[in-house]
Amino acid sequence: MPIDPSTQSIDIRRIFTGLALAAVLLLALWFRGLPLLFVILLVCALGLWEFYSLFWGSSRVPSRICAIVLGWCMICLTWLHRPQDALVCLGAGFVLASMSFLFRWDVVEDDNAFASSGIFMAGLAYVPLLLLPATYLSTTKLIFVIAAVAISDTTAYFVGTRFGHHKLWPRVSPKKSSEGAVGSLVGCVIFCAIYGEIYGKTGWFSFALLGIAVNAFAQLGDLFESALKRSVNIKDSGNLLPGHGGILDRADSLLFAMPMVAVVDQWFFFF
């Protein structure tokens, strides 16, 4: 079904919230050190809380706190250049989730007993694990990926709002348009090409290719989070950010794009 752009309007709250978030991120990246670590830990805690709220509502508070502690340990250990210990924390989370399943199933013989353990582990893999690159990527690389994702999201929003006529994937995200997705790709590639020509070591063309990959992962992250919300019939993951919803609604694209850039950075010298 085509989308009628006249029924959509630009949310001013979204713009002001986006500018405020950009200011906080720039300050954290400017000072780095503990301010940046604090922001990462805050995003981790709020993101995990929102993720578990999608499936558990307001219940299982001890499990949420346990996941947040494990997530914080993973982030802090990676920050201290001990990523191997961060993986041990992820393994410890699996052991705890397995024990929870074992004793729960033994007591109530619930056919869905393993589902809660799977959700617990999915949260650890989705939020703190994907946030780990933020603890060791340089300021230049973090600014690049954050800016590329922000431009992807912004161009998708404005192009989709103004020119969107055809739905991209109605079952997953009814409001996203194919025109917005194309606008997102074009905006990201143009930004990355310009960035590469000015600051990169490999020139504009290789950065344009990197921009395609960044945009692809950013849109996949956005669609994945949309599918999570649709699976539980929830519009937004939270209401913390006016015009955006929750932390996951704002960070979903970055959570997918940042690890991809971190992996590419290990093999190719873009910066």
Side-chain angles (χ1 to χ4, degrees):
M1 175 185 290
I3 299 174
D4 182 6
S6 64
T7 62
Q8 300 182 346
S9 60
I10 295 174
D11 191 342
I12 299 299
R13 298 176 308 160
R14 183 184 180 94
I15 297 175
F16 283 112
T17 302
L19 291 173
L21 289 174
V24 171
L25 281 174
L26 286 174
L27 284 174
L29 290 169
W30 175 267
F31 290 106
R32 281 198 74 93
L34 292 179
L36 179 58
L37 178 61
F38 175 79
V39 170
I40 297 171
L41 293 175
L42 182 62
V43 171
C44 174
L46 294 174
L48 280 172
W49 196 272
E50 287 182 0
F51 177 83
Y52 292 128
S53 294
L54 291 175
F55 301 96
W56 294 340
S58 58
S59 64
R60 300 182 181 272
V61 173
S63 295
R64 299 169 192 240
I65 294 174
C66 179
I68 290 173
V69 171
L70 286 170
W72 281 358
C73 288
M74 292 168 61
I75 289 170
C76 289
L77 287 167
T78 305
W79 180 272
L80 295 172
H81 309 292
R82 298 188 62 85
Q84 68 276 13
D85 292 333
L87 291 178
V88 170
C89 290
L90 186 63
F94 180 78
V95 171
L96 291 175
S98 300
M99 292 172 59
S100 174
F101 156 71
L102 175 62
F103 292 114
R104 177 180 172 82
W105 184 84
D106 180 59
V107 173
V108 299
E109 295 189 5
D110 185 359
D111 291 337
N112 296 319
F114 190 68
S116 294
S117 298
I119 291 170
F120 180 86
M121 284 304 301
L124 289 178
Y126 181 36
V127 183
L129 185 62
L130 296 186
L131 272 175
L132 293 185
T135 64
Y136 59 81
L137 287 176
S138 68
T139 300
T140 300
K141 295 168 186 174
L142 284 174
I143 290 177
F144 167 77
V145 67
I146 291 171
V149 169
I151 288 173
S152 296
D153 288 347
T154 302
T155 51
Y157 175 70
F158 282 105
V159 172
T161 300
R162 197 69 179 269
F163 306 105
H165 290 278
H166 303 89
K167 293 182 178 181
L168 176 65
W169 199 341
R171 179 168 172 77
V172 172
S173 185
K175 291 187 177 181
K176 289 183 174 60
S177 67
S178 299
E179 291 83 359
V182 173
S184 172
L185 175 63
V186 172
C188 183
V189 169
I190 291 175
F191 165 77
C192 292
I194 295 173
Y195 187 97
E197 184 64 24
I198 298 174
Y199 300 107
K201 293 182 178 180
T202 58
W204 69 271
F205 184 73
S206 58
F207 266 84
L209 295 177
L210 179 61
I212 294 174
V214 169
N215 184 261
F217 276 83
Q219 294 204 45
L220 283 172
D222 194 4
L223 289 169
F224 171 74
E225 205 249 343
S226 294
L228 285 181
K229 293 183 294 185
R230 294 282 289 176
S231 70
V232 292
N233 297 315
I234 292 178
K235 181 179 181 294
D236 295 318
S237 64
N239 55 12
L240 183 64
L241 305 175
H244 291 269
I247 287 292
L248 291 181
D249 293 313
R250 182 66 274 169
D252 51 6
S253 299
L254 188 61
L255 286 173
F256 271 51
M258 187 165 53
M260 186 277 299
V261 172
V263 171
V264 170
D265 184 58
Q266 298 296 315
W267 295 93
F268 302 98
F269 301 101
F270 283 93
F271 301 92

